[in-house]
Amino acid sequence: MASTATNSILESMKEVPSMKENLKKAFEDLQSFSPSLLRLPFQWNDIDNHFSSIERSINLRISHLKPDAEALNTLLTTSPKDLASLKEDLASALASSSDPAKLVLESVRAFNALEGEAGRSEKCKMAYVYLLEVLLAEIAPSVREGARGLAVDWKRRVGEDATTVLDVHLFLRFLAAFELAPAFDAEEVMELLTRMARKRKAVGLCRELGLGDRMPGP
């Protein structure tokens, strides 16, 4: 019964973006109808932030009740504007799972399966970077093997011209989280690291990937 109710809530949550858009239009129409007579003590951003806070709270609770990839992805794709505040929520969600590494793998796999850029905004990509950063659980051999298979296919796409710096960062963070760097050519991994814009991030990742000895000197 609880699972059915949770699934029902998840389905209903998918309608929230369109409902918010309709509410925004109604709010703007109301303001334009009589701007001199109607001076509201708040702006649309205040309403939007309030709804986003409620939505995030609901998604976090669902991720605890139903710790699976669908619930986790919902939490990630409705993350707050301040992505740094998402880390604590993600760590809490993973703690509710019996196999955090498997959950993260399934979540990242689903994200990678999305066609085009729909649902793959820079904000979402950064949210997944944070997800991989908070994965500290032990990784079962079968899960690591599944991650390796995903990484092999993923790497082919990372080499494409349209790949952004954040795409590279996300891929390398995935390798680090699942300890997969030894499965790839070290020179190729180092080449990807050089494409990262923020040197400090690249240096930290280089060490986590076990390639610290290949870092150029100062």
Side-chain angles (χ1 to χ4, degrees):
M1 181 68 71
S3 178
T4 301
T6 302
N7 288 335
S8 177
I9 293 172
L10 279 171
E11 284 301 313
S12 298
M13 291 295 290
K14 293 178 181 178
E15 300 177 13
V16 170
S18 61
M19 293 171 65
K20 284 173 64 176
E21 191 60 35
N22 290 336
L23 181 60
K24 180 181 180 181
K25 186 177 184 304
F27 180 83
E28 292 173 345
D29 289 344
L30 183 62
Q31 281 193 313
S32 63
F33 180 71
S34 183
S36 59
L37 297 177
L38 185 63
R39 296 185 180 278
L40 298 175
F42 50 83
Q43 300 297 319
W44 168 251
N45 280 344
D46 299 317
I47 300 175
D48 187 34
N49 289 337
H50 179 65
F51 271 99
S52 295
S53 176
I54 295 174
E55 185 180 6
R56 177 168 164 253
S57 178
I58 292 173
N59 286 329
L60 179 59
R61 289 177 181 273
I62 290 175
S63 70
H64 288 172
L65 292 171
K66 185 187 178 188
D68 62 10
E70 182 183 5
L72 184 58
N73 285 353
T74 300
L75 177 62
L76 285 159
T77 54
T78 57
S79 56
K81 293 178 181 178
D82 179 13
L83 286 173
S85 67
L86 183 64
K87 278 191 173 183
E88 185 176 342
D89 292 346
L90 291 173
S92 177
L94 293 187
S96 302
S97 172
S98 59
D99 192 341
K102 182 180 179 181
L103 174 59
V104 170
L105 173 59
E106 291 174 348
S107 178
V108 174
R109 180 180 282 126
F111 180 68
N112 270 276
L114 293 175
E115 295 292 337
E117 288 302 305
R120 291 177 54 85
S121 66
E122 297 294 282
K123 175 183 170 183
C124 283
K125 291 174 186 176
M126 199 64 225
Y128 278 86
V129 168
Y130 285 147
L131 172 65
L132 291 164
E133 286 180 347
V134 299
L135 175 60
L136 303 174
E138 183 177 348
I139 303 169
S142 60
V143 174
R144 182 175 284 108
E145 183 59 26
R148 190 190 70 79
L150 174 59
V152 168
D153 179 64
W154 193 350
K155 185 177 180 298
R156 298 191 190 101
R157 288 180 283 120
V158 170
E160 296 175 358
D161 293 338
T163 303
T164 67
V165 170
L166 189 50
D167 287 318
V168 173
H169 185 183
L170 180 55
F171 172 71
L172 292 175
R173 175 53 61 187
F174 182 79
L175 294 189
F178 286 91
E179 302 170 359
L180 294 171
F184 293 87
D185 182 82
E187 292 299 329
E188 292 183 355
V189 175
M190 287 299 299
E191 184 179 345
L192 289 174
L193 278 165
T194 62
R195 292 171 59 183
M196 290 184 60
R198 287 181 288 183
K199 186 176 180 181
R200 183 175 299 178
K201 283 281 187 182
V203 170
L205 258 179
C206 189
R207 293 196 180 101
E208 290 182 55
L209 290 164
L211 299 172
D213 59 327
R214 291 176 174 267
M215 291 171 54

